[in-house]
Amino acid sequence: MALPYKAVPLVAPGHTRPVTHLSFSPLQDDGTYVVISSCKDGNPMLRDWTGDWIGTFIGHKGAVWSSKLSPDTSRAASGSADFTAKIWDTYTGECLQSFPHNHIVRSVALSPSSSHLLTGGQEKKVRMFDLSRPDAEPDFLFDGAGALSHEGTVKSVVWVGDHTGVTAGEDGQIKWWDLRTRTLTTSLTFPNPITSMELSPQTNRIVVTSGKTVSFIPALLNGPQTHSLTLPYAPSSASIHPILQDRFVTGSTSDEWVRIHDVAGEEREVLKGHHGPVHCVEYSPDGEMFASGSEDGTIRLWQTTPGKSYGLWQGVPANGG
């Protein structure tokens, strides 16, 4: 997997504080996609598939820890340290709805039809809001008789299929919930806190980092076996190639590098460019690039195949001249 050409990232500036989370939209009918970034500056940003800035969502009064896009990209959801989750119109930038919480919101997830919103955070509670009834009280996902969803901060929530929620906590637990009955279906326990959990929709897997492990888990626990690897470092985030499924990328808060590993865990490339720890990485839905977000306040876009013409990258001439 050695690259014939040096990987030259595109740098997407604009944020003024550390970038905490990145999320790509699905591939749209015209072959394009967008990406939304969360940042401690409190202003999520939307960019097109080339990395060009589209707009900034203004309204949060604290760090934004998570933001996600609806499948058709018309809506965005965000969760913030200002104790709110918000729904945005991605065309106008207008805040459509704001849902108060009692503590920091660390993660949000929209349902496939954009009818409902899941949130989780430092209250250790997972809420489900009905966006058609914004004044109604949310439903809570409680584990057993206790009034909590997790024993630690909820680090990530994802929505799988029509009616499954998956939540991950600093308690080391990943929990699957039936959102129709709001009941716990099953759970997995890791020996260390979960540091990240993202849904890889094309591979139908959940990608989890915890301690020095990265795990690729069937999203509904009904597919191939869970594949776990132990790395020589603690990854902050990981993303599997959505098409080839033969490699994954990671970030780490212990250095400033982005790494590419094969599925056996062997390190294939180390990409240098950031000037601070890397908090988040994610592949684009077409697998042509991946994005990394860092403590340095920048987003860097990296080609899967350096030298290829794609977006703003002008490829290397065939004759090398």
Side-chain angles (χ1 to χ4, degrees), residues 96-319:
L96 301 175
Q97 293 168 306
S98 185
F99 297 104
H101 292 65
N102 298 319
H103 211 314
I104 292 168
V105 183
R106 290 299 298 261
S107 186
V108 294
L110 281 164
S111 67
S113 63
S114 304
S115 62
H116 290 78
L117 174 72
L118 279 182
T119 67
Q122 284 177 227
E123 286 180 78
K124 308 173 187 174
K125 298 175 182 178
V126 178
R127 290 172 169 83
M128 183 170 64
F129 295 90
D130 182 342
L131 300 185
S132 67
R133 300 167 59 232
D135 297 327
E137 287 297 308
D139 288 315
F140 289 87
L141 305 183
F142 288 147
D143 186 355
L148 294 176
S149 311
H150 281 267
E151 294 298 317
T153 293
V154 179
K155 289 296 293 284
S156 179
V157 296
V158 297
W159 197 299
V160 182
D162 291 329
H163 43 70
T164 301
V166 188
T167 63
E170 287 189 344
D171 56 3
Q173 296 234 308
I174 297 179
K175 298 184 178 185
W176 280 258
W177 308 83
D178 184 327
L179 299 177
R180 295 165 297 187
T181 57
R182 296 174 294 285
T183 53
L184 183 68
T185 312
T186 188
S187 63
L188 286 178
T189 304
F190 284 71
N192 294 295
I194 309 297
T195 46
S196 74
M197 175 184 73
E198 300 292 338
L199 175 65
S200 167
Q202 288 116 311
T203 70
N204 213 23
R205 288 191 186 97
I206 285 166
V207 183
V208 174
T209 60
S210 174
K212 291 186 174 181
T213 65
V214 57
S215 297
F216 306 93
I217 304 168
L220 293 172
L221 287 180
N222 58 357
Q225 220 176 336
T226 293
H227 180 52
S228 291
L229 298 164
T230 301
L231 304 178
Y233 59 94
S236 58
S237 173
S239 182
I240 188 169
H241 193 288
I243 316 296
L244 302 173
Q245 301 186 38
D246 65 347
R247 68 195 75 181
F248 63 94
V249 294
T250 64
S252 170
T253 54
S254 57
D255 58 34
E256 303 169 352
W257 303 340
V258 176
R259 289 175 170 83
I260 306 172
H261 294 264
D262 65 25
V263 287
E266 289 295 317
E267 184 182 284
R268 295 303 186 193
E269 297 289 334
V270 178
L271 303 174
K272 301 179 181 181
H274 281 297
H275 302 293
V278 178
H279 294 300
C280 46
V281 291
E282 185 161 15
Y283 270 105
S284 64
D286 62 1
E288 288 288 349
M289 71 163 180
F290 49 93
S292 55
S294 166
E295 185 78 16
D296 67 15
T298 68
I299 300 159
R300 279 171 160 73
L301 307 177
W302 309 83
Q303 274 184 292
T304 298
T305 311
K308 184 176 180 178
S309 286
Y310 180 80
L312 298 180
W313 283 284
Q314 298 302 310
V316 177
N319 63 7

Side-chain angles (χ1 to χ4, degrees), residues 15 35-37 43-48 52-58 90-93:
H15 283 302
V35 60
I36 191 168
S37 54
N43 302 320
M45 285 188 178
L46 188 67
R47 295 177 187 275
D48 72 12
D52 281 347
W53 177 83
I54 295 172
T56 301
F57 299 101
I58 304 293
T90 61
Y91 300 119
T92 65

